[in-house]
Amino acid sequence: MGSRLIGYGSYLPERIVTNQDLEKMVDTSDEWIIQRTGMRERHFARDDETVVDMATIAAQRALDKAGITINDIDMLIVSTTSPELDFPSVGVQILGRLGSTTNAPAFDVRGACTGYIYALHCARAFFAAAIHKRIMIVGAEKMTRFIDWNDRSTAVLFGDGAGALIFEHSTSSYSGIIDTVVMSDGKEMGMLYGTPDHHIMMNGPETYKKAVTLMPEAANYIMEHAGITADNVDWIVPHQANLRIIQSGAERLGFPLEKILVTVDKHANTSGASGVLALSYAFDNNIIKKGQLVLYPAFGSGLTWGAALIRV
Ligand code: ACO
């Protein structure tokens, strides 16, 4: 049993914050941000806009695209690091908001920036076991909740937003979520974590070094496992943390620049929403087309890392 992608959707808050706007909020410059990260703008949620608000809109848009209702979804998995409530899960709240009457299960995974790969990994296992028929994956983050305006090294890096993907079971194992790998190393947690007072602590240079080796490692593992090379892959859609990390990782893997999807310039780092949002953006803008093969590596706090291979 495999799967196929039947719907996608996204939501970005209305407020766009440019690097020039950030220059007025923190001691930084447009030039520094572009040179070090490739980011030009990001979206900031309103104070009263929650992770559940953003996730629900993205989920409804994905349902509309698939031409189904929430009652056709028999499992919902949400990747988020920034829920306003400790419980219940964002997933259960989305089902409530959308009026689900099926008692379908929903839960959140907390894999930081790798969260959506963890969610895909779970979905692949449920499809393989033929337990569920239609699984929605949502990635939603309000990373601006964590911004410490006294720390310019992290304040400029993050944005808010949500994305959703819907997969349906299929007898083909060459479509939808073809393969996944996820890993973690808790010994390295000191490199990047959220503090009890909701701020981001990050050793940027050390995180950078890990990201440029671990994402390609996961991507290589997936390609070897599938018996393919970079030539067989149409697109690489890496976690959108930093343009230099994306380009260096793709180079290590032998991917030409034109096969790399980049949204970090527009959305900045949306952590556990990043890849889902990026894929929805690529579909909406007709960049990635139906039937193409996408390699999907990610990396984040934990440390966590992994990759997925998806035929969209
Ligand atoms: N504006 C201007 N100058 C700044 C800023 C800023 N916003 N931030 C830092 N600087 C300065 C520093 O003070 C330092 O100045 P100094 O040399 O006078 O001391 C200088 O810039 C260099 O600082 P570094 O931290 O060494 O800069 P670096 O080139 O490493 O870039 C960055 C920093 C962009 C954070 C980079 O290290 C990076 O991208 N790291 C990885 C981030 C990442 O991928 N995170 C992963 C996931 S996040 C998650 O899981 C939630």
Side-chain angles (χ1 to χ4, degrees):
M1 271 293 199
S3 60
R4 66 189 185 101
L5 180 68
I6 59 164
Y8 65 89
S10 64
Y11 172 78
L12 286 161
E14 214 173 276
R15 182 176 168 206
I16 295 175
V17 176
T18 63
N19 292 348
Q20 286 79 8
D21 295 328
L22 287 178
E23 284 175 354
K24 293 171 203 141
M25 298 152 94
V26 67
D27 178 17
T28 191
S29 68
D30 177 43
E31 192 194 349
W32 190 94
I33 300 172
I34 291 178
Q35 195 186 56
R36 303 288 175 132
T37 71
M39 295 169 189
R40 291 173 187 274
E41 56 187 43
R42 66 285 291 145
H43 293 248
F44 277 15
R46 298 186 312 271
D47 286 349
D48 66 345
E49 200 167 32
T50 66
V51 168
V52 176
D53 293 336
M54 295 188 281
T56 303
I57 298 171
Q60 184 58 58
R61 288 179 178 165
L63 292 168
D64 293 345
K65 211 44 134 192
I68 58 175
T69 75
I70 194 63
N71 284 339
D72 296 311
I73 297 294
D74 62 5
M75 174 172 272
L76 172 58
I77 312 174
V78 179
S79 157
T80 188
T81 318
S82 50
E84 284 80 4
L85 300 183
D86 288 332
F87 54 87
S89 70
V90 169
V92 167
Q93 292 182 72
I94 296 171
L95 291 184
R97 291 267 189 104
L98 293 178
S100 167
T101 56
T102 62
N103 303 128
F107 59 94
D108 300 352
V109 293
R110 280 195 173 195
C113 303
T114 321
Y116 56 94
I117 304 296
Y118 273 74
L120 288 167
H121 187 67
C122 296
R124 180 169 74 94
F126 284 116
F127 282 128
I131 296 176
H132 290 280
K133 285 189 172 152
R134 254 180 241 110
I135 303 180
M136 173 142 61
I137 308 284
V138 173
E141 298 283 16
K142 186 170 177 178
M143 292 308 288
T144 49
R145 285 186 58 223
F146 298 130
I147 289 181
D148 175 0
W149 292 108
N150 295 313
D151 177 10
R152 64 177 179 169
S153 67
T154 55
V156 301
L157 302 178
F158 296 94
D160 302 329
L165 300 172
I166 301 174
F167 293 91
E168 184 173 73
H169 74 112
S170 156
T171 47
S172 166
S173 49
Y174 298 105
S175 65
I177 313 165
I178 297 171
D179 203 359
T180 52
V181 61
V182 284
M183 284 173 271
S184 76
D185 181 1
K187 294 187 297 302
E188 300 282 11
M189 79 148 277
M191 202 178 285
L192 173 58
Y193 61 95
T195 66
D197 56 347
H198 304 294
H199 286 150
I200 295 163
M201 284 298 294
M202 179 170 75
N203 180 333
E206 286 306 313
T207 307
Y208 186 99
K209 280 187 223 154
K210 286 285 184 185
V212 295
T213 53
L214 295 178
M215 272 205 289
E217 256 179 50
N220 259 330
Y221 175 91
I222 286 278
M223 287 197 287
E224 277 170 30
H225 205 230
I228 58 171
T229 67
D231 289 342
N232 306 112
V233 176
D234 296 301
W235 287 95
I236 181 160
V237 181
H239 165 50
Q240 305 286 317
N242 177 317
L243 186 59
R244 288 191 299 149
I245 293 175
I246 292 171
Q247 289 176 339
S248 148
E251 254 167 50
R252 281 172 197 233
L253 289 165
F255 277 90
L257 290 182
E258 58 272 16
K259 278 191 179 185
I260 311 169
L261 182 76
V262 174
T263 57
V264 70
D265 53 334
K266 296 170 201 66
H267 304 157
N269 184 347
T270 57
S271 192
S274 131
V276 193
L277 195 53
L279 211 50
S280 295
Y281 171 87
F283 294 142
D284 277 334
N285 290 281
N286 212 19
I287 300 169
I288 297 182
K289 299 189 179 67
K290 201 160 178 47
Q292 290 192 314
L293 194 60
V294 175
L295 183 58
Y296 214 30
F299 168 87
S301 167
L303 298 178
T304 54
W305 67 101
L309 187 67
I310 300 176
R311 191 172 293 284
V312 297

